[in-house]
Amino acid sequence: MKPYEIIRDIFIVGGPEITDSRDGCVYLINLGDLVLIDSGAGWSSDKIIDHIEELGFEPQKLKMTLLTHCHIDHIGGAPGIKKKCGSKIYIHKLDAPPLESGDPILTAASWYQTRFDPTPIDVKLNFPEQILRIGKEKVVCLHTPGHTPGSMSIYIDRDGKRVLFGQDLHGPLLEEFGSNLNDWDRSTKKLLDLDADILCEGHFGIYKTKKGVVDYIMSYRRRYGVE
Ligand SMILES: [Zn+2]
Ligand SMILES: [Zn+2]
């Protein structure tokens, strides 16, 4: 599959069907400056940059990579992309230490039989809700712990539609990741309250109706027994 535009100026540029089966989905937002949400597992960072160019954008305009959480399938490409494009790495402060130390378990790198070299973080997000202003638009980062302590969901309002990026909402919830079911329950409720029109998910694709978004989140709430 090729990269494509989901809604005006929001694109999918990487993921299991686009770049590498090991990659979580990678999304690009054009706000004049470019913002990347997640970065794949690391083997496809050059491909992701190629896709940005093929869509007609200058990779040098990529100013930030927002990492939704500390797992390798989402963070692996961030250092390589930073090296080539200069984009700063953002992550919630509670998920920063595994990247800074290159922890093989907490980054899940050992699961993927790879390693993640210790990487400094440019910006550690620190609030339940943090608004990043880029040009005239705003990107909202929400702390939504559960899958990991510093998991983050992101949304942007565009042409009357709310687009939510919720990468590993489905879990898994595992002790070795520091997962927490009570946190996950609260976080998914918060996301349902957003009443999003489109969910750009991390592994299973894009849900394009309000009902599709609710059904997706509710199916996991039932699976984890909080509904
Ligand atoms: Zn994932
Ligand atoms: Zn994950």
Side-chain angles (χ1 to χ4, degrees):
M1 215 161 78
K2 289 248 174 215
Y4 64 93
E5 191 172 42
I6 301 159
I7 185 171
R8 181 175 58 85
D9 280 335
I10 299 179
F11 306 84
I12 181 162
V13 293
E17 286 164 12
I18 296 182
T19 40
D20 188 295
S21 60
R22 295 163 288 190
D23 290 345
C25 295
V26 184
Y27 297 101
L28 177 75
I29 311 178
N30 171 32
L31 299 166
D33 284 345
L34 301 173
V35 177
L36 203 63
I37 297 182
D38 284 343
S39 63
W43 289 277
S44 56
S45 44
D46 287 345
K47 259 194 196 165
I48 291 167
I49 296 170
D50 288 347
H51 288 164
I52 293 172
E53 277 191 300
E54 283 164 24
L55 289 167
F57 301 112
E58 271 175 59
Q60 265 53 41
K61 288 214 158 168
L62 187 64
K63 300 297 179 199
M64 51 177 85
T65 301
L66 302 178
L67 298 175
T68 58
H69 65 291
C70 61
H71 291 159
I72 190 77
D73 47 328
H74 303 264
I75 64 170
I81 292 170
K82 178 179 176 179
K83 216 168 166 187
K84 289 211 165 160
C85 306
S87 47
K88 292 199 164 135
I89 298 176
Y90 288 60
I91 194 166
H92 189 275
K93 70 162 187 185
L94 293 177
D95 268 24
L99 281 78
E100 293 171 313
S101 66
D103 187 301
I105 306 291
L106 290 174
T107 62
S110 57
W111 268 29
Y112 285 73
Q113 284 147 13
T114 186
R115 46 182 288 176
F116 182 81
D117 289 331
T119 297
I121 302 302
D122 298 295
V123 180
K124 293 179 198 174
L125 300 169
N126 190 15
F127 297 99
E129 179 174 320
Q130 203 151 344
I131 297 174
L132 306 174
R133 290 187 188 281
I134 301 149
K136 285 183 188 151
E137 301 204 60
K138 57 181 192 179
V139 175
V140 184
C141 299
L142 295 174
H143 181 211
T144 50
H147 175 53
T148 64
S151 283
M152 187 162 89
S153 305
I154 296 156
Y155 72 88
I156 179 166
D157 290 328
R158 164 101 351 159
D159 298 343
K161 295 209 187 271
R162 178 159 288 177
V163 186
L164 170 64
F165 301 89
Q167 305 305 67
D168 278 6
L169 289 183
H170 61 279
L173 302 182
L174 297 176
E175 208 178 315
E176 64 187 277
F177 290 163
S179 303
N180 182 302
L181 180 62
N182 290 330
D183 286 348
W184 185 87
D185 177 17
R186 272 191 295 274
S187 294
T188 48
K189 272 191 191 142
K190 192 152 105 177
L191 295 176
L192 286 168
D193 287 345
L194 289 177
D195 201 24
D197 298 278
I198 298 175
L199 171 65
C200 296
E201 196 278 335
H203 295 273
F204 308 114
I206 297 159
Y207 297 80
K208 279 197 149 183
T209 61
K210 271 190 205 287
K211 182 176 182 306
V213 178
V214 170
D215 287 351
Y216 178 82
I217 297 173
M218 288 299 286
S219 72
Y220 286 98
R221 289 184 53 79
R222 280 191 291 271
R223 194 174 298 184
Y224 288 119
V226 295
E227 204 63 56

